[in-house]
Amino acid sequence: MNLTLVQNIPKLKKMSFTKFQEELTKIDSDLVIFPELALNGYLLKDAVFEDAYEMSEIDEFAKFSEKKDIVFGCALKIGYKIYNSAVYCSSGKVLHVHHKNILPNYGLFQEARFFFEGDTMESFETTFGEVMMVVCEEMFSAKVIEKIASIKPQLLIVLANSPARGFEDDKLLIEHQWNSLLTTSAILSGANVVFANRVGFEDGLGFWGGSRHINPKGEVVEKAELFEKEFLKVKIDTHISKTQKYLLRIK
C-alpha cells in the first residue's frame, strides 16, 4: 500500500473543487491524506458559519476518490452545528466522517468557541483494512490513546494543525511531544500510524509540519522536513502490523 501525506499551506478560505483537483493530479498513490482543516484554513473564527461546507459539497469532493482514496479535514455543517471534521472518501463516495471530540480552548486555541464537539470515535473498514482517524488535540488524551489501543486498527490516521512552540537548542519541543504520543499509540495498538501536519503561517501562527509514518514497532520510517511544503511518500507494510499484534498477544 502506497500513500502520500500532503504537508501543505492551506488558504484561509474555502478551497474550490478545481484547486482540490489540481492538488490531487500531482499525486500518484493508493491513499492521499491532507491535514486538519485543509479545505478551510485554521483560524476561521466568526467566518466559520459562512465558510463551513455542507455535506452535499463534500459529496462533490468525494467524487475525486474514484481512483484513489482521499482523507481531508474541513469545517463541516450538519444542520445548525459546525464540526471540525476528518473525512475519508473512497470509490467516489464519502466512506466515513469523524467529528473532532476534543476541542482546545486555551492559550492560542479557541476552537471550542466556534465548533461543536463530536461524540463518537470509531474505526471503519476500507480496502486497506481497518482504519481509525483522530484529529490533533484528541491525541493528547489518555482515554483516546487507550481507545486506539483497544480498537487495534491496522492504520491510524492523525490529522493536525499543530503550531510550532517550545524552541530549544537541539529540538522543537512540540515535535518531541507529538512523536512520543504517536510512537506510544503505534506500539500499544500494533498499528501503522501516519501523521499529516500543515506548514506555513496564519495570523501570526507558524505551523511546523514534520509529517511522518511510524510503524507498529514504534520506528519513524519516513518523516517530512520541518516548515517546508512536501508530498511525503509512504509505503505501508501490513505484515509488520500483524507481527507486532502477535508479539503483544493482542486479542
Side-chain angles (χ1 to χ4, degrees):
M1 172 188 175
N2 297 301
L3 62 84
T4 298
L5 300 176
V6 180
Q7 184 168 290
N8 63 352
I9 306 176
K11 301 293 184 182
L12 192 55
K13 63 178 182 180
K14 292 179 75 170
M15 183 183 287
S16 67
F17 300 123
T18 302
K19 179 61 177 176
F20 190 66
Q21 187 175 30
E22 287 176 1
E23 290 281 286
L24 288 173
T25 56
K26 304 172 186 175
I27 304 166
D28 182 20
S29 286
D30 301 315
L31 171 60
V32 182
I33 302 172
F34 290 83
E36 176 186 12
L37 292 171
L39 299 192
N40 295 90
Y42 185 64
L43 294 170
L44 291 167
K45 298 183 180 179
D46 293 327
V48 68
F49 197 82
E50 181 180 347
D51 286 354
Y53 290 87
E54 301 281 354
M55 199 63 215
S56 58
E57 294 176 285
I58 297 302
D59 288 336
E60 292 298 312
F61 280 100
K63 292 178 180 179
F64 296 124
S65 68
E66 287 284 1
K67 296 182 179 179
K68 52 195 168 193
D69 288 10
I70 307 167
V71 175
F72 54 81
C74 67
L76 182 59
K77 187 185 297 182
I78 306 293
Y80 65 88
K81 296 182 178 181
I82 299 175
Y83 298 97
N84 181 342
S85 302
V87 181
Y88 191 109
C89 305
S90 181
S91 301
K93 298 178 181 179
V94 173
L95 180 63
H96 185 80
V97 178
H98 169 65
H99 302 312
K100 190 173 182 178
N101 286 197
I102 301 173
L103 302 174
N105 198 37
Y106 56 85
L108 49 84
F109 302 106
Q110 300 181 32
E111 287 182 44
R113 289 182 58 194
F114 304 105
F115 293 103
F116 280 78
E117 287 185 347
D119 55 11
T120 60
M121 184 174 293
E122 302 170 344
S123 63
F124 54 98
E125 288 296 327
T126 73
T127 53
F128 311 114
E130 189 177 13
V131 172
M132 187 173 177
M133 297 192 296
V134 176
V135 182
C136 208
E137 184 77 9
E138 293 175 320
M139 282 299 298
F140 287 79
S141 165
K143 289 184 178 179
V144 170
I145 292 178
E146 181 183 12
K147 184 155 191 175
I148 293 167
S150 67
I151 290 176
K152 304 174 287 293
Q154 288 178 267
L155 179 65
L156 174 65
I157 299 172
V158 182
L159 308 187
N161 270 190
S162 175
R165 52 200 189 277
F167 290 90
E168 299 182 357
D169 292 338
D170 59 344
K171 67 181 180 183
L172 184 63
L173 180 59
I174 189 63
E175 180 190 14
H176 176 72
Q177 292 171 337
W178 263 109
N179 200 67
S180 297
L181 295 169
L182 298 169
T183 299
T184 298
S185 298
I187 294 171
L188 293 179
S189 66
N192 280 285
V193 177
V194 289
F195 169 70
N197 189 27
R198 64 165 289 181
V199 290
F201 288 85
E202 199 174 286
D203 279 4
L205 282 183
F207 299 88
W208 58 276
S211 302
R212 63 198 61 199
H213 165 221
I214 296 174
N215 71 19
K217 295 188 289 184
E219 300 168 326
V220 178
V221 183
E222 300 287 349
K223 187 180 85 166
E225 295 295 325
L226 302 188
F227 306 109
E228 299 291 337
K229 292 173 65 176
E230 186 174 343
F231 292 154
L232 183 67
K233 302 289 186 180
V234 171
K235 186 174 180 63
I236 299 292
D237 183 350
T238 56
H239 178 72
I240 295 178
S241 180
K242 293 175 182 177
T243 302
Q244 183 68 7
K245 285 180 169 64
Y246 168 76
L247 291 175
L248 292 173
R249 300 299 190 270
I250 292 177
K251 298 179 180 180

